[in-house]
Amino acid sequence: VYTAFDENDRASRYFQNVIQEGVVTKSGVYSFAQAFNKRGFQDLTLKTYEEASEVHGISQFWTQLASLYRIGQNYKDLSGLGLEVLKQYPNQLNRVYGFFDIILENEEQATYLQKLCLTYIQKNPGREVYDELLLRIYTQQNKYSAAFRQVAAIDKRNNL
């Protein structure tokens, strides 16, 4: 009703309250997110899943968030989300990499993802999943010398 009468501030406050109440249960998250999405409120759908991830953890909603980031062309958040997912669930590498295909089509976005991945490697040197991801990115982009340098760095780190 508020949006129909251009009372955007009131609508925003109301929707924020709805989201906060809706994310208490996982079923509430899905119900509210679907309702927002059905009515064309993509930003509220995204906000619902983001807040739900804070409450319930990233594992429950990361695929929905990744899809929304892709649709909204929010590739920086998609990159960060994917790397955070890999921090907790390294076995999800193939799925995360699948979401990154659209990022790798754009040189600027791919460079951002590479730099972010290098940052994660430096902060988490024992997490081999980031090395594997970076190697896949380099080889897909035919950056074989960069891939070779990364393998050499991995070998040096592992004292091989």
Side-chain angles (χ1 to χ4, degrees), residues 79 83-84 86-87 93 112-138 146-147 149-158:
S79 298
L83 295 175
E84 282 299 311
L86 292 176
K87 184 186 291 185
L93 177 60
Y112 175 81
L113 177 59
Q114 291 168 11
K115 289 178 181 177
L116 190 61
C117 196
L118 284 167
T119 301
Y120 272 71
I121 289 170
Q122 290 171 348
K123 290 181 179 178
N124 307 282
R127 297 270 184 177
E128 295 176 6
V129 69
Y130 297 127
D131 293 312
E132 173 67 23
L133 175 62
L134 190 58
L135 286 174
R136 286 187 186 190
I137 293 168
Y138 284 150
R149 284 192 306 273
Q150 185 62 26
V151 169
I154 294 168
D155 288 346
K156 185 176 180 180
R157 193 177 330 126
N158 293 331

Side-chain angles (χ1 to χ4, degrees), residues 41-108:
F41 296 123
Q42 299 300 325
D43 56 331
L44 295 173
T45 305
L46 182 60
K47 189 172 184 79
T48 300
Y49 283 125
E50 287 174 339
E51 290 197 20
S53 293
E54 291 177 18
V55 173
H56 299 287
I58 200 166
S59 67
Q60 297 292 317
F61 308 105
W62 78 267
T63 55
Q64 290 85 355
L65 278 171
S67 295
L68 290 168
Y69 288 148
R70 279 179 61 119
I71 291 167
Q73 299 179 348
N74 189 343
Y75 303 131
K76 288 186 178 184
D77 284 342
L78 178 59
S79 298
L81 174 67
L83 295 175
E84 282 299 311
V85 168
L86 292 176
K87 184 186 291 185
Q88 296 178 30
Y89 306 100
N91 62 332
Q92 295 294 314
L93 177 60
N94 290 332
R95 289 185 74 196
V96 168
Y97 188 71
F99 279 103
F100 287 163
D101 64 342
I102 196 163
I103 292 173
L104 299 175
E105 293 173 2
N106 177 298
E107 186 67 31
E108 182 181 330

Side-chain angles (χ1 to χ4, degrees), residues 18-37:
V18 167
I19 290 170
Q20 287 176 345
E21 292 174 14
V23 299
V24 172
T25 65
K26 292 174 188 171
S27 62
V29 172
Y30 292 116
S31 297
F32 283 104
Q34 287 175 347
F36 287 139
N37 192 43

